[in-house]
Amino acid sequence: MANNVTLQTSGMSQVDVLLDCFHSASSLTVVCHDDPDPDCLAGAMALKLLASESGIDTVDILYGGTISHQQNRAFVNVFDIELQQYSEELREANELVAFVDHSLPGNHNSVPAETAVDIVIDHHPTDHPIPAEFVDIREEYGATATILTEYIRESPIEMTTRIASGLLFGIHRDCLDFIRQPTTHEYGAGEYLDPRADIEMLRELYGASFTAATVDVVGDAIQNRVKRNACLVSCIGRTAGHDALTQAADYLLNIEGVSVVLVCGIVDDEVQLSARSIRKDIDLGERLREAYGDIGQAGGHKTMAGGQLSLGRLNDVTHEESEVVEMINKRVRRRFFDVMGVAADENGAGV
């Protein structure tokens, strides 16, 4: 169930309440989720604009993980976003702390669990109480950038070309160019942003090149795929980051006869998951929570989901690296095929 704004004042709009928070402080830390994508980065840019124009002197944007997806890296460069790698010292340096495009400390971010934050703006569903004063989670929206677009439209602050371009690209990418479940909110935001955006900047982002490492991951995912009916799972072993897993999942969903894809890889001491679906009769986020919720964090939307699993919970005995990878692959596949209602053989492969 979505969370409503919890710092609501009678007669005040949500953006008025948010700006009132800014008026009472002089510094803000915006924490992106790990491996931030354009929706998260655009939301951080827009929140920084709102804060700066409301009298906040210092706004720092932090992120955990890596920025390895070619469009994410291009986004940072094209919009010249000043980012800093997350640390506890930096998070605690400013008066206010805000999350954009994520909500729960310790879940897909580098913030310790149970840490109290001041502001949360997100569109992902959550069943957990959020430890923040201002909480605006709109599960019915397709992108966090849409929420920030509405904030700026409803405020006295001018929408700049840079911010409009970033928000428009963030909405496009989170909704796969208005193919993956856009809502009337996204269409309305797009109609507002399009004449204010720099289309040449967007063309530059769409032309961003793949890295060789990403091509390798996609190649491994193709090679390792296991298909059962319309359900496909591919586990690739160790990889450097999560971004390439999402790109591999998007690519594999294009295979004829496939409607659900799960790609997993080992990143440091976690097993990270990226799932995609074009089926309308299932909630992919719920299926991932059912399959892996007892051994890690998992969830998301009906058509796009992910998770981070404890490597130790999947591998409780010391083995050689190749044996660890194969054991994890079998267990991840078996759990996913089971929750999707398809059979798996003794090796965890589809039959």
Side-chain angles (χ1 to χ4, degrees), residues 43 67 89 109 146 158 178 184 216 218 225 247 257 259 267 273 277:
I67 301 178
E89 182 179 6
N109 56 58
T146 305
E158 181 181 356
F178 288 84
T184 55
D216 289 341
V218 174
R225 71 191 188 278
Q247 291 174 277
S259 60
V267 181
L273 311 173
S277 172

Side-chain angles (χ1 to χ4, degrees), residues 189-205:
E191 183 179 15
Y192 171 79
L193 293 169
D194 184 73
R196 295 167 172 80
D198 185 334
I199 303 304
E200 289 304 317
M201 296 177 80
L202 303 186
R203 289 198 182 101
E204 184 176 351
L205 292 169

